[in-house]
Each structure stands twice: as C-alpha cells, then as structure tokens.
C-alpha cells in the first residue's frame, strides 16, 4: 500500500463504501426519528427526560450494589456518594420530569455547543480530502452552535419545547449527513484492485 494513498481510498472510506447500505439505513432511521421529535417536541422532551431518569436510577442502583460488594476497596465513600446521587437524580427526573426537563435542557445546550464545535473542526480539517460532502458536516456543526445559543437565550421558557425540537433537528441533520455520505460512497463504486497477471 502506498504511503501517499489519498484519504478517499483509505480505511474509513473503504469501510463506508463496503457497508454503505447500513449507513444509509441508519441515516434514514435518524431522519424519521428526528421528524417525529420535531412534530411533537413536548412529548419528545418528556420522553428524553424519563429515559434519562431511568438510566440514572439503574446505573445508580448497579453502582450501589457493586460499591457494597467491593466495600474494602479504596474510595468506598466516594463511590457510595456517586451511586446515591445517581439514584436520587434518577428518582427526581422520574417523579418531576417537567422540572427535570429544564436541567436537561442546560445539559443539552452544552452538548450541542461542544458537538457543534467538534463537527465544524472535523469538517474544516477534512475539507480538502475526497471523503465526500464535508459541507453537510460543517452545516450540521454550525446549526448545532446556533441552536444552542438560541435556546440558552430563551431559557427557562424554551425548555418546554427545546429538548425535543433540538434533538429532532440534530437527528435530521445528522441522519441526512449520513445518507449523503452513504450515497457518495455508493456512487464511488469499488476501487480497482489490479493484480499481477498469472498468464
């Protein structure tokens, strides 16, 4: 293999090209889920809050059990505190999911801001590489940053719709970027693999 092999023929692009159908299906699923979240943002926000509450509760219970099973290990009290906090946070989100939505909206704003900046930097870094459709990744990153700023300015009222709507928009753009990448990989076709003649 040549050391000067372009990125488009590298391992990442080859993996996408070989499995473009899976990437296409995943992109379509993300777009469908995103559209549903956009159409019913309060329900999507509530669903995310409840799901996150269950994740915290279950992880806290598992952490509590493992903490007591390994109570002779160093850091017992810190581990116990972490498990108890996880359980308490999970219960609060499940009992008062609407109030929990506000807290999760703050976290979501931070997440979209960080993810947006990372996507922008990734797109800029790969803009000269033949990896296909880096512009969609750039657009997705810019949109993430803009939406994070808008929701932050509109708090606390924006928490009523922001969680579901932001998640839906992010899923749609992320899914569309994946669809574009899969279709580009499909159109590229298999790379020629010349082999020495055996005649």
């Amino acid at each position: 293999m040549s050391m000067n092999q372009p990125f488009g023929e590298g391992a990442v692009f080859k993996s996408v090209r070989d499995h473009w159908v899976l990437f296409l299906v995943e992109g379509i699923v993300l777009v469908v889920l995103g559209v549903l979240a956009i159409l019913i943002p309060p329900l999507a926000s509530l669903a995310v809050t409840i799901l996150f509450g269950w994740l915290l509760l279950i992880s806290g219970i598992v952490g509590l059990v493992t903490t007591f099973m390994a109570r002779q290990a160093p850091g017992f009290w810190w581990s116990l505190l972490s498990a108890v906090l996880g359980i308490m946070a999970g219960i609060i989100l499940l009992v008062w999911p609407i109030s929990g939505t506000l807290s999760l909206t703050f976290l979501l704003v931070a997440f979209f801001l960080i993810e947006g900046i990372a996507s922008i930097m990734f797109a800029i870094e790969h803009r000269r590489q033949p990896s296909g459709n880096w512009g969609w990744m750039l657009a997705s990153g810019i949109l993430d940053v803009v939406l994070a700023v808008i929701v932050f300015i509109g708090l606390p009222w924006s928490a009523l719709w922001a969680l579901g709507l932001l998640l839906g928009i992010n899923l749609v753009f992320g899914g569309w970027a994946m669809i574009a990448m899969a279709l580009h990989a499909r159109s590229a076709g298999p790379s020629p693999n010349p082999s020495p003649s055996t005649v």
Side-chain angles (χ1 to χ4, degrees):
M1 178 186 298
S2 170
M3 295 300 291
N4 296 323
Q5 188 177 37
F7 178 81
E9 294 299 325
V12 175
F13 186 79
K14 182 179 184 303
S15 175
V16 175
R17 187 186 61 217
D18 292 346
H19 305 286
W20 70 269
V21 174
L22 295 177
F23 285 94
L24 180 64
V25 170
E26 183 179 354
I28 292 172
V29 170
L30 290 177
V31 169
V32 170
L33 291 176
V35 169
L36 290 176
I38 290 171
L39 292 176
I40 326 170
L43 185 59
S45 298
L46 194 62
V48 170
T49 303
I50 292 173
L51 175 63
F52 196 63
W54 276 112
L55 290 175
L56 283 175
L57 180 62
I58 294 171
S59 65
I61 292 172
V62 171
L64 189 65
V65 171
T66 56
T67 296
F68 276 105
M69 289 179 64
R71 56 184 173 273
Q72 302 302 326
F76 168 81
W77 292 107
W78 290 112
S79 182
L80 180 64
L81 177 63
S82 175
V84 170
L85 286 176
I87 292 172
M88 290 174 58
I91 291 174
I92 289 171
L93 289 179
L94 292 173
V95 175
W96 297 287
I98 295 177
S99 300
T101 302
L102 178 61
S103 301
L104 286 181
T105 302
F106 276 109
L107 290 176
L108 190 68
V109 166
F111 168 76
F112 278 132
L113 187 62
I114 294 170
E115 184 191 39
I117 293 171
S119 296
I120 291 170
M121 298 309 295
F122 179 85
I124 290 174
E125 185 176 337
H126 290 87
R127 69 188 182 280
R128 294 191 182 93
Q129 304 294 338
S131 53
N133 298 305
W134 66 271
W136 283 107
M137 188 62 67
L138 179 65
S140 177
I142 292 173
L143 184 67
D144 284 345
V145 172
V146 170
L147 289 174
V149 171
I150 290 173
V151 173
F152 181 76
I153 292 172
L155 286 170
W157 302 111
S158 58
L160 297 175
W161 52 264
L163 198 61
L165 185 62
L166 279 178
L167 180 65
I169 292 173
N170 183 261
L171 288 174
V172 167
F173 268 78
W176 185 249
M178 192 164 289
I179 290 171
M181 182 177 64
L183 294 177
H184 173 77
R186 174 179 178 257
S187 66
S191 59
N193 187 21
S195 56
S197 174
T198 56
V199 179

